[in-house]
Amino acid sequence: MIIEPNTEESRGSFKPTMSEDDVLRQIEQAVIDHRLPPGTKLKEVQLAEVFGVKRGTIRKVLSRLAYSRLVDQLPNRGASVAKPSVKEGRDLFATRRAIEGAIIQILTPEIERSGIQSLRQMLDQEQNAYLKGDSKLALALSVDFHRQLAKMCGNSVLQEYLNDIIRRTPLVILTHLSADPQNRCRNQEHEAIVDALESGDAKRAVEIMNQHLLHIENRIEHKSEEVQPDLATILLTG
Amino acid sequence: MIIEPNTEESRGSFKPTMSEDDVLRQIEQAVIDHRLPPGTKLKEVQLAEVFGVKRGTIRKVLSRLAYSRLVDQLPNRGASVAKPSVKEGRDLFATRRAIEGAIIQILTPEIERSGIQSLRQMLDQEQNAYLKGDSKLALALSVDFHRQLAKMCGNSVLQEYLNDIIRRTPLVILTHLSADPQNRCRNQEHEAIVDALESGDAKRAVEIMNQHLLHIENRIEHKSEEVQPDLATILLTG
DNA sequence: TTATTTATTATTGTTAACAATCTATGAATG
DNA sequence: CATTCATAGATTGTTAACAATAATAAATAA
């Protein structure tokens, strides 16, 4: 079968050529949306045709994705969507606690009233999305809440690292979890975090953030056992 | 002036062609050794000739260096050795405290006697190098000590992030500091860290690591003010 | 058949030529 | 004298063709 290049002619509609960043985002989103399951082979020419770009563009994108551990690259045998181990998942969450703990620690003594207000606005939006049943939007806003805390604390490196962790997390979850719509943060816990921030008690705020992250973490660890039965279970129950 | 390519003939001695990783390490080391000061333009053909590799190899290396923030890349105007701001330096150190704090927290309750022993061996080596006057080796061993703690704690993400920070630190220091041979960790502070680890008191161990990192940090912050006088000082004292 | 070897194809990796862009120089202009 | 503009050279960016490698299929021998 011959796959036609994604030119303007072949698709009938105008579409500006995608930039390298566009392609990167598309692939990233495809991973998050589970359209590219872990382990999927990412062939260069195929991707180039799909996105209507040159192979060189795809090559650069794959390198970048490999750098952020979203794809695995093996010499002479190309790239595939990464399959992070359960351990890597655990390590990622443990690191996240350290990072977000530090963020809260820095932020608590210096956050302004206006900062608290804008956070509460975000919580409202999140709650609205949830009540409307738009769980995808709710999840996105929930992630944005964490990102916003990182931004507010003003430490660019902590921000950078949290973004890295957030980027890698969906893959870790997908790899060891059957798709679960309940993966999002509970809104009330976010409220508790803002309350603690407002109270000015850094130690308490860090503790609450930690509990929040542990809740998510435990929910995942729990499931990961179920979907990874041992060989005997697989072979002897048929 | 014409620069001859670094071929076997032109240099008279045999040398296997450098791999991409080799080139990366060489440039990284040149930055650390202050042979490539911050801001230095990194021209592709020039580097390719110096290392005797194709321009494509240099291109990939520069991308990787840009990803780890050791070089800045601007579209159509190439790469130069990064000039991290004082703020980025501060952020890097603050993050380092969070990361190494987490490492110590994890490591303290689970470190074995053998682990303590191997750490003490490292301290001996470090001390020997220092007494011998080999301050370059001493510095390398001092860095290895921190890296070893990260490795021992078993969290690959924390390890990854600490390595990233360590990679970026020399550039931050060089950018805002006149070359100072006293930039290394004091050995006795490393000893105190091992003692605390051995005592099993995680809270105290974290506190000592924090103090250790703050000492380094303060020494740098202090100097950074001196070399960055404001405009008035520059213009009015002539 | 089953295993092993040998072509064939598919895929990734590299290169050199070309294109696009920026930079430096110097002349023309106000 | 400073500024603008045009030009040439240097530098980065892109591409298509080629090379090297791995994956697959076919052929052969046990």
Side-chain angles (χ1 to χ4, degrees):
Chain A
M1 170 187 166
I2 295 167
I3 300 172
E4 287 296 324
N6 185 14
T7 57
E8 186 177 336
E9 299 78 38
S10 71
R11 298 182 307 97
S13 69
F14 173 78
K15 183 182 150 207
T17 49
M18 275 185 148
S19 76
E20 189 180 316
D21 287 344
D22 292 335
V23 174
L24 185 89
R25 273 190 286 272
Q26 290 274 346
I27 296 180
E28 240 179 60
Q29 195 58 45
V31 169
I32 292 173
D33 294 348
H34 210 199
R35 302 198 306 276
L36 288 176
T40 307
K41 197 80 203 306
L42 299 172
K43 296 180 190 170
E44 297 176 357
V45 287
Q46 192 183 357
L47 289 172
E49 282 163 351
V50 165
F51 292 117
V53 298
K54 302 294 181 202
R55 192 157 71 96
T57 309
I58 298 297
R59 236 147 187 290
K60 277 186 269 179
V61 166
L62 290 177
S63 302
R64 288 169 64 183
L65 288 169
Y67 201 104
S68 53
R69 315 247 182 203
L70 258 52
V71 318
D72 289 332
Q73 258 180 332
L74 290 170
N76 287 316
R77 61 191 61 181
S80 53
V81 178
K83 279 204 257 193
S85 65
V86 173
K87 175 166 184 319
E88 183 173 335
R90 270 192 254 271
D91 290 352
L92 213 53
F93 273 109
T95 305
R96 179 167 184 165
R97 271 180 274 134
I99 298 291
E100 295 220 51
I103 288 168
I104 294 290
Q105 183 94 42
I106 293 169
L107 189 55
T108 306
E110 68 184 26
I111 193 169
E112 309 271 338
R113 179 177 301 275
S114 64
I116 297 283
Q117 279 178 333
S118 75
L119 286 175
R120 293 212 187 276
Q121 271 187 325
M122 293 187 79
L123 294 190
D124 285 347
Q125 285 187 285
E126 193 184 331
Q127 186 70 9
N128 281 340
Y130 177 66
L131 293 176
K132 270 193 223 162
D134 191 344
S135 65
K136 192 170 175 179
L137 177 61
L139 174 59
L141 291 171
S142 160
V143 171
D144 280 346
F145 174 77
H146 288 263
R147 250 195 267 267
Q148 180 62 21
L149 293 175
K151 195 171 181 184
M152 281 174 151
C153 97
N155 184 315
S156 61
V157 181
L158 286 171
Q159 204 183 333
E160 191 183 306
Y161 285 174
L162 181 62
N163 277 327
D164 182 55
I165 291 173
I166 287 174
R167 218 173 293 133
R168 290 161 73 173
T169 298
L171 193 53
V172 170
I173 294 175
L174 287 171
T175 308
H176 302 291
L177 208 60
S178 47
D180 177 1
Q182 270 305 86
N183 274 335
R184 45 180 210 77
C185 309
R186 273 170 260 157
N187 194 274
Q188 68 215 55
E189 295 193 358
H190 283 181
E191 252 177 67
I193 290 169
V194 178
D195 290 344
L197 273 173
E198 193 169 24
S199 79
D201 183 346
K203 199 171 169 184
R204 188 169 77 96
V206 170
E207 184 54 35
I208 287 173
M209 173 59 91
N210 248 292
Q211 287 309 315
H212 172 53
L213 293 173
L214 280 170
H215 281 159
I216 305 172
E217 198 171 339
N218 284 331
R219 212 157 55 214
I220 288 160
E221 298 292 355
H222 210 256
K223 296 237 170 182
S224 73
E225 317 287 357
E226 297 174 15
V227 295
Q228 294 253 340
D230 67 339
L231 254 182
T233 311
I234 294 173
L235 298 175
L236 298 177
T237 54
Chain B
M1 169 187 168
I2 295 167
I3 301 173
E4 287 296 324
N6 185 14
T7 58
E8 185 178 337
E9 300 77 41
S10 70
R11 298 179 308 97
S13 67
F14 173 77
K15 182 181 152 210
T17 47
M18 275 184 148
S19 75
E20 188 180 316
D21 287 345
D22 293 333
V23 174
L24 185 90
R25 273 189 287 272
Q26 290 274 347
I27 296 179
E28 241 179 60
Q29 194 58 44
V31 169
I32 292 173
D33 295 347
H34 210 196
R35 302 199 307 278
L36 289 175
T40 306
K41 197 80 203 305
L42 298 173
K43 295 179 191 171
E44 297 177 358
V45 286
Q46 193 182 0
L47 289 173
E49 282 163 353
V50 166
F51 292 117
V53 297
K54 302 293 179 201
R55 193 156 69 97
T57 308
I58 298 296
R59 235 146 189 289
K60 276 187 269 179
V61 167
L62 291 177
S63 301
R64 287 169 65 183
L65 288 169
Y67 203 103
S68 53
R69 315 245 182 205
L70 258 51
V71 318
D72 289 332
Q73 258 181 331
L74 290 170
N76 287 317
R77 59 189 62 179
S80 53
V81 178
K83 279 205 254 193
S85 64
V86 174
K87 173 163 185 323
E88 184 174 336
R90 269 192 255 272
D91 290 353
L92 213 52
F93 273 110
T95 305
R96 179 166 184 166
R97 272 181 273 133
I99 297 291
E100 295 221 52
I103 288 168
I104 295 290
Q105 184 93 43
I106 293 170
L107 189 55
T108 307
E110 69 184 25
I111 193 169
E112 310 273 338
R113 180 176 300 276
S114 64
I116 297 284
Q117 280 178 334
S118 75
L119 286 175
R120 294 214 185 274
Q121 272 188 324
M122 294 187 79
L123 294 190
D124 285 346
Q125 285 186 284
E126 194 183 329
Q127 186 70 7
N128 281 339
Y130 178 67
L131 292 176
K132 269 193 226 164
D134 191 344
S135 66
K136 193 171 174 179
L137 178 62
L139 174 59
L141 291 171
S142 161
V143 172
D144 280 346
F145 175 76
H146 288 263
R147 249 195 267 267
Q148 181 63 21
L149 293 176
K151 196 171 179 185
M152 279 174 151
C153 98
N155 183 317
S156 61
V157 181
L158 286 171
Q159 202 182 333
E160 192 184 306
Y161 285 173
L162 181 62
N163 278 327
D164 182 55
I165 291 173
I166 287 174
R167 220 173 294 133
R168 291 161 71 172
T169 299
L171 193 52
V172 170
I173 294 176
L174 286 172
T175 308
H176 302 291
L177 209 59
S178 48
D180 176 2
Q182 271 305 84
N183 273 335
R184 46 179 210 78
C185 308
R186 275 169 260 158
N187 193 274
Q188 69 215 53
E189 295 193 358
H190 284 181
E191 250 176 69
I193 290 168
V194 178
D195 290 345
L197 273 173
E198 193 169 22
S199 80
D201 184 345
K203 199 171 170 185
R204 189 168 77 95
V206 170
E207 185 52 36
I208 288 174
M209 172 60 90
N210 248 292
Q211 288 308 316
H212 173 51
L213 293 173
L214 280 170
H215 282 159
I216 305 172
E217 201 172 331
N218 283 332
R219 212 157 55 214
I220 287 159
E221 298 292 355
H222 211 256
K223 296 237 169 180
S224 73
E225 315 287 357
E226 296 173 16
V227 296
Q228 293 254 339
D230 67 341
L231 254 181
T233 310
I234 294 174
L235 298 175
L236 297 178
T237 55

